């Protein structure tokens, strides 16, 4: 598909340098689109929060299509671009905007208005598309299912040595910003109780201090639990090594779309233990590609199985890796976005791209 000459404006809720899912996705998509000859400009905070700036940006850049990376957090930019002209806008529902805010009385009216006004909607899974159709059937014809891409460069850094984790430890690992929605610290008291049975347990975590209360709690727990090891940031070039420093990858989020960290762990061949939420359930088959938990009792039960059964860990990890590899082979993320942009442009909802 020849899309050279197309112009796309991204509106993202966080700066590209921040290790957030939206920023990682925008950086990856921009690189892929540019390789196809597409001109991409990125509006990030504080610009996306200033209506006049976004109106002028849209008029000056004159994009063929706009990709909005969060319905709620980029709502100011969306409205400003609407006022600037008939630019088709695609809203990417990526997590909390779909899973929580669409049901929140404080947000849902404005989000639904944006979804009604936009030219297209992207979601990661068929289940998300089905949920949208139950909210408003008119969303169905403009919803595109495009799985989240993933890129995992290989590396050989020894994070156990770097962090000082004893070699004989059985390690639970996690990658998540220190935010309440990610619930990164929820499992620590449970692991502490498991250590009474399995004293070799350790926990490693990578994630920026994003919310004060969660960051303060991490510091308190680090003084109490000497078997936990934290690093604020791991560069993407080394994330493969950090993931493989663990024996099991854990994600305890309250809400997700299709988190990069989980997909990267699966691609790395890690057994994954995931909170039982729709975003995670759509990524893996229970007991084949992942284990799931709701609360402490289920977590302890699943964790014991993984600690005591190396064959189960290996089988889960291999199945998870194969699933992600198969998905990447079947669905080219960049080609899917270009196809969607082309379809929307050709429908005449904006300028016709030559």
């Amino acid at each position: 598909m020849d899309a050279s000459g197309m112009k796309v404006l991204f509106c993202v809720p966080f700066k590209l340098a921040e290790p957030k899912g939206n920023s990682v996705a925008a950086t990856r998509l921009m690189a892929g689109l540019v390789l196809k000859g597409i001109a991409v400009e990125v509006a990030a905070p504080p610009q996306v929060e200033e209506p006049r700036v976004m109106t002028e940006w849209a008029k000056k850049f004159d994009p063929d299509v706009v990709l909005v990376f969060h319905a709620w957090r980029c709502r100011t930019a969306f409205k400003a671009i609407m006022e600037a002209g008939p630019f088709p806008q695609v809203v990417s529902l990526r997590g909390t905007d779909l899973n929580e805010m669409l049901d929140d009385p404080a947000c849902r009216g404005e989000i639904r208005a944006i979804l009604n006004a936009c030219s297209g909607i992207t979601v990661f899974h068929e289940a998300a598309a089905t949920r949208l159709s139950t909210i408003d059937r008119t969303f169905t014809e403009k919803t595109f299912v495009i799985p989240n891409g993933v890129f995992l460069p290989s590396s050989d850094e020894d994070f156990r040595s770097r962090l000082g984790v004893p070699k004989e430890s059985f390690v639970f690992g996690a990658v998540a910003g220190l935010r309440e929605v990610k619930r990164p610290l929820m499992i620590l008291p449970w692991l502490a109780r498991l250590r009474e049975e399995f004293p070799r347990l350790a926990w490693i975590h990578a994630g920026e201090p994003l919310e004060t209360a969660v960051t303060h709690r991490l510091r308190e727990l680090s003084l109490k639990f000497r078997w936990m090891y934290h690093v604020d940031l791991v560069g993407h070039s080394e994330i493969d090594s950090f993931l493989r420093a663990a024996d099991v990858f854990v994600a305890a989020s309250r809400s997700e779309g299709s988190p990069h960290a989980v997909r990267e762990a699966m691609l790395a061949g890690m057994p994954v233990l995931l909170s039982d939420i729709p975003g995670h359930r759509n990524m893996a088959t229970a007991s084949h590609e992942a284990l799931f938990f709701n609360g402490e009792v289920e977590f302890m039960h699943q964790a014991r199985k993984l600690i005591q059964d190396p064959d189960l860990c290996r089988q889960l990890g291999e199945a998870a890796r194969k699933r992600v590899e198969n998905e990447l082979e079947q669905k080219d993320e960049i080609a899917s976005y270009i196809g969607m942009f082309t379809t929307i442009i050709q429908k005449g909802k904006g300028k016709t791209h030559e």
Side-chain angles (χ1 to χ4, degrees):
M1 181 182 299
D2 183 12
S4 59
M6 187 185 292
K7 296 194 293 185
V8 181
L9 174 61
F10 285 4
C11 295
V12 297
F14 307 105
K15 294 180 179 179
L16 291 186
E18 295 187 36
K20 304 282 186 66
N22 287 298
S23 301
V24 171
T27 300
R28 183 184 65 251
L29 288 174
M30 178 174 63
L33 294 174
V34 168
L35 285 175
K36 298 294 184 180
I38 295 172
V40 180
E41 291 192 0
V42 181
Q47 290 91 346
V48 292
E49 297 156 0
E50 300 176 11
R52 182 182 58 81
V53 171
M54 292 311 306
T55 298
E56 293 177 357
W57 193 327
K59 289 180 178 180
K60 182 178 180 180
F61 182 48
D62 193 27
D64 293 288
V65 66
V66 179
L67 182 59
V68 179
F69 279 78
H70 197 284
W72 179 252
R73 293 194 175 99
C74 289
R75 64 193 185 279
T76 299
F78 181 92
K79 295 173 185 177
I81 292 169
M82 276 191 67
E83 294 179 3
F87 303 106
Q89 298 193 68
V90 177
V91 176
S92 178
L93 295 177
R94 309 187 67 83
T96 52
D97 50 356
L98 172 64
N99 299 326
E100 297 186 355
M101 294 176 178
L102 262 174
D103 297 320
D104 185 343
C107 311
R108 65 188 180 197
E110 201 163 354
I111 291 178
R112 291 185 187 186
I114 287 171
L115 297 181
N116 279 314
C118 71
S119 300
I121 303 168
T122 66
V123 294
F124 295 132
H125 312 286
E126 290 291 347
T130 300
R131 178 165 186 260
L132 279 178
S133 69
T134 62
I135 294 172
D136 189 327
R137 290 183 179 179
T138 64
F139 293 159
T140 303
E141 63 183 20
K142 61 180 177 180
T143 298
F144 298 78
V145 178
I146 304 178
N148 209 9
V150 62
F151 172 63
L152 188 66
S154 61
S155 59
D156 58 2
E157 178 65 27
D158 184 353
F159 270 94
R160 288 205 182 197
S161 294
R162 183 192 292 191
L163 296 172
V165 181
K167 292 182 178 181
E168 69 277 9
S169 298
F170 188 97
V171 179
F172 288 82
V175 177
L178 293 174
R179 303 165 57 201
E180 188 277 330
V181 69
K182 299 291 185 180
R183 301 190 301 194
L185 311 180
M186 181 175 70
I187 70 167
L188 288 177
W190 307 344
L191 288 178
R193 283 185 276 281
L194 271 178
R195 274 180 58 85
E196 296 173 7
E197 303 173 47
F198 308 100
R200 295 186 298 109
L201 288 192
W203 180 79
I204 62 173
H205 175 266
E208 270 198 313
L210 300 173
E211 293 179 359
T212 302
V214 182
T215 302
H216 179 69
R217 180 60 176 158
L218 173 72
R219 291 171 180 162
E220 288 180 337
L221 291 172
S222 66
L223 296 175
K224 182 178 180 181
F225 301 140
R226 296 298 183 179
W227 43 268
M228 56 177 283
Y229 305 84
H230 166 80
V231 59
D232 284 351
L233 184 63
V234 175
H236 195 246
S237 62
E238 293 184 333
I239 198 66
D240 174 59
S241 292
F242 185 85
L243 291 169
R244 289 185 290 102
D247 294 287
V248 173
F249 181 86
V250 181
S253 297
R254 187 187 75 238
S255 175
E256 290 286 5
S258 180
H260 289 92
V262 175
R263 294 206 85 199
E264 288 170 346
M266 293 173 69
L267 188 57
M270 298 296 299
V272 293
L273 179 53
L274 309 175
S275 55
D276 195 352
I277 59 174
H280 287 158
R281 279 282 181 177
N282 289 324
M283 299 177 72
T285 302
S287 300
H288 175 58
E289 296 153 343
L291 297 184
F292 293 87
F293 67 92
N294 261 316
E296 178 180 358
V297 173
E298 285 188 6
F299 176 86
M300 301 278 272
H301 174 68
Q302 304 287 40
R304 285 190 186 96
K305 289 198 296 186
L306 293 166
I307 295 167
Q308 296 174 320
D309 193 342
D311 289 337
L312 175 62
C313 287
R314 183 176 62 257
Q315 291 164 10
L316 288 170
E318 289 177 356
R321 176 179 54 77
K322 289 178 181 177
R323 174 172 178 140
V324 175
E325 288 177 343
N326 288 338
E327 289 175 346
L328 292 174
E329 289 177 3
Q330 294 170 11
K331 194 85 170 182
D332 184 324
E333 183 184 34
I334 300 302
S336 296
Y337 270 94
I338 292 174
M340 175 186 64
F341 293 153
T342 302
T343 296
I344 288 172
I345 292 167
Q346 290 177 346
K347 280 184 176 180
K349 294 182 178 178
K351 299 175 299 180
T352 300
H353 177 65
E354 301 294 338

